[in-house]
Amino acid sequence: MGQSQHQSGSGPFRADQLHDGDRYELSNGHPIYCAPAGPEHASRSLTGAAVIASDPDVEWVGVDAGFSPEPGTLRAPDVAVAAPPSGRGWIPGVPLLAVEYASVGQDEADLQTKIGELLRGGSRAVWVVRLLGPRRVEVHRPGEPMLLATVGESLTAPGILRNPVPVEALFEHAAADRATLRNLLQRAGYTDLEAVREEGREEGREEGRETGREEARAGLADAIMTLLAVRGLEPSPAVSERIHACRDLDQFKTWLLAAARVTDPTRIFD
């Protein structure tokens, strides 16, 4: 959520003059103050980030990550999907997919400018999740009219996300949990939790029940570790050992969902 004066002409500032933690974006060299997010904005954006980060085809997701397509521009979408960045500093270019949550105090003029800058820079889609009024998501793509998706519909991002994202999953924790669990199980090679149980039963019948269950548990442990790695989180050896030592499939389900939201793996898994 940015606030600017929408000045014309080029401003005097460059992206390399801003530092990690500065509460500013840049548009054509002009600073845009980014106010702290309110409780609903912060909670909903984390919900959406969990669903998107867990998608089986996503390699990297950033929350408020700074992208600089040119020296006078620095934009930090609420959620961004991109190739894994290399090196330090602001990420060159723009994300493949950007998600913005628009709530109280949203500067609409700057939002439209931001959308235009991202699309012109090469973003394939920008989703604007409207937290005021009826639940809806605006879908912006280069050279196409804006589309509106509402409750009961799903959003797709071919070539970026493998699975459709239900509109509700960008608003509601329960819907987000269902989509996230589906994604995490697919990362481990399963269609759903029942497929995990069925593999355990089938392997149990053919090779010994415990062997089948052990392979299922190992797959779920790998899914948790993969998601933490995608989110840039490295669990301690003690946490890693506890995850791989777990024998409870229901505990794995709880941990899979926690891995999509946790910022410190030690607090959840240790």
Side-chain angles (χ1 to χ4, degrees), residues 58-187:
V58 168
E59 295 184 82
W60 187 88
V61 168
V63 175
D64 293 331
F67 289 82
S68 182
E70 54 88 21
T73 301
L74 178 65
R75 290 298 192 173
D78 290 327
V79 183
V81 180
S86 59
R88 296 183 178 275
W90 307 123
I91 304 168
V94 295
L96 297 171
L97 170 66
V99 182
E100 285 287 308
Y101 278 77
S103 187
V104 177
Q106 177 68 56
D107 185 326
E108 286 295 332
D110 179 63
L111 176 60
Q112 296 307 313
T113 299
K114 185 174 186 175
I115 293 169
E117 290 172 348
L118 292 171
L119 294 180
R120 287 192 299 274
S123 290
R124 297 184 197 172
V126 178
W127 296 349
V128 178
V129 184
R130 294 290 181 178
L131 297 178
L132 298 179
R135 289 182 172 180
R136 64 205 188 279
V137 179
E138 298 172 358
V139 179
H140 301 263
R141 295 190 178 96
E144 297 182 17
M146 185 267 287
L147 299 177
L148 200 63
T150 57
V151 172
E153 299 179 306
S154 292
L155 302 157
T156 59
I160 304 172
L161 304 179
R162 180 185 304 180
N163 292 322
V165 178
V167 168
E168 297 94 315
L170 298 178
F171 292 90
E172 302 171 3
H173 289 306
D177 285 350
R178 291 192 294 271
T180 299
L181 182 59
R182 171 203 63 192
N183 291 343
L184 293 172
L185 290 171
Q186 287 183 14
R187 278 184 177 270

Side-chain angles (χ1 to χ4, degrees), residues 225-237:
M225 299 297 290
T226 298
L227 179 61
L228 291 173
V230 166
R231 299 190 58 222
L233 302 174
E234 184 174 352
S236 67

Side-chain angles (χ1 to χ4, degrees), residues 210 213-214 217-218 221 241-252 255:
E210 186 54 36
R213 287 178 176 172
E214 183 61 32
R217 288 191 291 263
E241 181 179 355
R242 185 178 181 198
I243 292 171
H244 284 93
C246 181
R247 295 294 180 268
D248 186 341
L249 289 178
D250 289 330
Q251 179 66 70
F252 272 120
W255 280 351

